[in-house]
Amino acid sequence: MTSTSVRVRASSGSSHAPDPVEAGTAATREALDGLGGEPPAMIIVYATVRYDLPVLISAIRAVTGDTPLVGESSAGHMAGGDLTPPGTGVAVLAMTAGPYAFGIAVAENLAADGIDAGRHLARTARGAVPRHTAYATMMVFVDGLADAQQDLITGLHQVTGAAVPVIGGAAGDDRALERTYVFHDDRVLTDAAVGVWIGADHPLPVTVGHGWHPIGLPLLVTKTDGLVVDEIGGRPARAVFEENIRRGNTNDLDRIRPGGYYSTHAFGLIEPDGTHLIRGVFMTDELIHTFSPLPAYSAIQIMGCNREDLLVMSRRVAEDALRGRDASLLLVFSCIARLDILGDQGAEEADLLQAAAGAVPVFGVYTYGEFARTSSVAGYHNATVAAVAL
């Protein structure tokens, strides 16, 4: 699907071919053909881990040459309203710069110090921008199984401050939860993050929403150990969690996914303005875990959801991102948990996003966590959808 806007020219291509060279070559040529001969300024790639990823990226670079390339392994992706489910395919976006200035950087060894990695990523990406701009937004791709998700965005925020929104997603591996990857030019990396500083002469707001609703009263997390939530309100966390989810009306949904992940219930971290930031929950033995540590003594509510509310929110996020904008591309990051909850309605999210965008092409990825820091305290989300329009 191609955009001819004077702002940015963007075109995507995709392939489901099982051979990585065939798939990468076909998807990339389709994307470049849509630019009408204009040279791309950046390539974004989303792909299943079932490919030999170094071979795939090499095939893509054989077509694009030295054009900067970013992206990540996915848990499904979307382009132009079409959903590619987990376990198959590659999608390539080729885009011109238009009025924007891109600076790209990579940070490795997230496990050593996520905050420092975030600071390095922001400083290096900002320093790589070829010209000064009045505004900016930071886009991030990160190893989806790294424990340092919130630390990374904290480090980013220490450099960018409140004036620079952050958007992005944590890489997936088709629900296997074994190993995820990010892409930077010729390299396929794990325990790493790739950042794109998008400089602009006007604000580039990030929109975000989830569609979840609270069940029961606010609660206080009173004991944690890293990703493990031990106590809520001075009581065993699992007992409190199970008491609350029995109040939810989600018995028609597949509640527990492989690995103990609760698809229909989560923690809602209560923000200062009263909204909720979603953090996913999974079980091992008798312990409750989250995908990123909850702050000590944080106020939470147990959250539930239904399919209709998730889809309504997806459309609203797209509409809000494009409202009042002369945009030519909508970049979307949605969570694999949403796709799991939607079940046989999964393709509807991609379709709704494109319908809301109208003639503006949508290019998106299903992730293991979403980055969307606007006015929120934390900025790392689960089971959420985020978007930015260029």
Side-chain angles (χ1 to χ4, degrees):
M1 191 170 188
T2 304
S3 167
T4 57
S5 168
V6 296
R7 295 175 60 80
V8 168
R9 190 158 186 168
S11 176
S12 66
S14 62
S15 175
H16 298 269
D19 178 74
V21 174
E22 179 184 351
T25 301
T28 307
R29 286 177 175 167
E30 181 184 358
L32 292 179
D33 285 347
L35 294 186
E38 290 189 45
M42 184 167 63
I43 303 293
I44 303 177
V45 178
Y46 301 134
T48 174
V49 292
R50 295 192 181 187
Y51 287 125
D52 183 325
L53 292 175
V55 172
L56 176 76
I57 296 301
S58 179
I60 293 171
R61 294 279 281 178
V63 180
T64 63
D66 293 333
T67 302
L69 182 150
V70 299
E72 63 190 10
S73 57
S74 75
H77 41 266
M78 66 183 86
D82 294 326
L83 169 68
T84 297
T88 183
V90 57
V92 177
L93 179 79
M95 59 183 295
T96 64
Y100 303 110
F102 301 133
I104 298 173
V106 62
E108 300 184 62
N109 301 316
L110 299 185
D113 190 332
I115 293 177
D116 187 63
R119 289 193 294 251
H120 169 79
L121 194 66
R123 288 172 181 151
T124 308
R126 183 179 60 187
V129 176
R131 62 181 176 86
H132 174 74
T133 60
Y135 300 94
T137 289
M138 185 88 179
M139 182 166 62
V140 181
F141 307 94
V142 60
D143 178 354
L145 299 180
D147 291 339
Q149 310 290 353
Q150 184 57 53
D151 284 349
L152 180 77
I153 201 168
T154 297
L156 291 172
H157 182 52
Q158 288 178 0
V159 175
T160 64
V164 178
V166 176
I167 189 168
D173 64 348
D174 303 325
R175 302 189 183 96
L177 299 176
E178 293 175 354
R179 196 161 193 180
T180 68
Y181 305 88
V182 294
F183 311 141
H184 178 243
D185 291 341
D186 297 307
R187 306 175 71 196
V188 176
L189 304 166
T190 192
D191 192 29
V194 175
V196 181
W197 187 279
I198 307 173
D201 296 323
H202 57 271
L204 284 177
V206 167
T207 59
V208 59
H210 51 71
W212 291 65
H213 57 269
I215 298 170
L217 298 173
L219 303 164
L220 190 68
V221 175
T222 48
K223 184 180 179 182
T224 63
D225 182 7
L227 300 179
V228 176
V229 181
D230 287 314
E231 293 181 1
I232 298 175
R235 298 178 55 217
R238 179 158 184 168
V240 176
F241 183 76
E242 291 181 344
E243 285 173 8
N244 278 269
I245 67 175
R246 283 196 289 269
R247 305 178 189 180
N249 184 24
T250 54
N251 292 328
D252 58 321
L253 301 179
D254 182 8
R255 175 177 292 174
I256 304 177
R257 305 296 302 180
Y261 174 62
Y262 270 73
S263 63
T264 60
H265 294 88
F267 290 136
L269 185 61
I270 302 174
E271 298 276 62
D273 62 359
T275 61
H276 296 86
L277 185 150
I278 304 299
R279 289 286 171 84
V281 172
F282 66 99
M283 302 287 192
T284 59
D285 298 324
E286 295 299 314
L287 299 176
I288 285 187
H289 299 249
T290 55
F291 290 95
S292 183
L294 291 176
Y297 295 100
S298 54
I300 64 166
Q301 284 180 276
I302 309 302
M303 309 293 284
C305 67
N306 60 62
R307 293 169 178 171
E308 180 181 353
D309 288 345
L310 296 188
L311 291 171
V312 167
M313 183 56 67
S314 297
R315 185 180 185 97
R316 185 178 302 165
V317 165
E319 290 173 342
D320 289 347
L322 292 161
R323 185 170 289 113
R325 303 289 310 283
D326 180 21
S328 56
L329 174 65
L330 185 68
L331 296 173
V332 174
F333 297 86
S334 188
C335 188
I336 182 58
R338 300 173 68 83
L339 199 59
D340 288 339
I341 295 163
L342 291 172
D344 57 8
Q345 295 180 259
E348 291 186 29
E349 182 170 56
D351 186 57
L352 276 173
L353 286 164
Q354 187 59 66
V360 176
V362 174
F363 192 72
V365 62
Y366 282 96
T367 70
Y368 283 177
E370 301 70 57
F371 293 96
R373 199 207 62 75
T374 51
S375 60
S376 66
V377 172
Y380 172 68
H381 308 251
N382 299 132
T384 295
V385 58
V388 64
L390 301 180

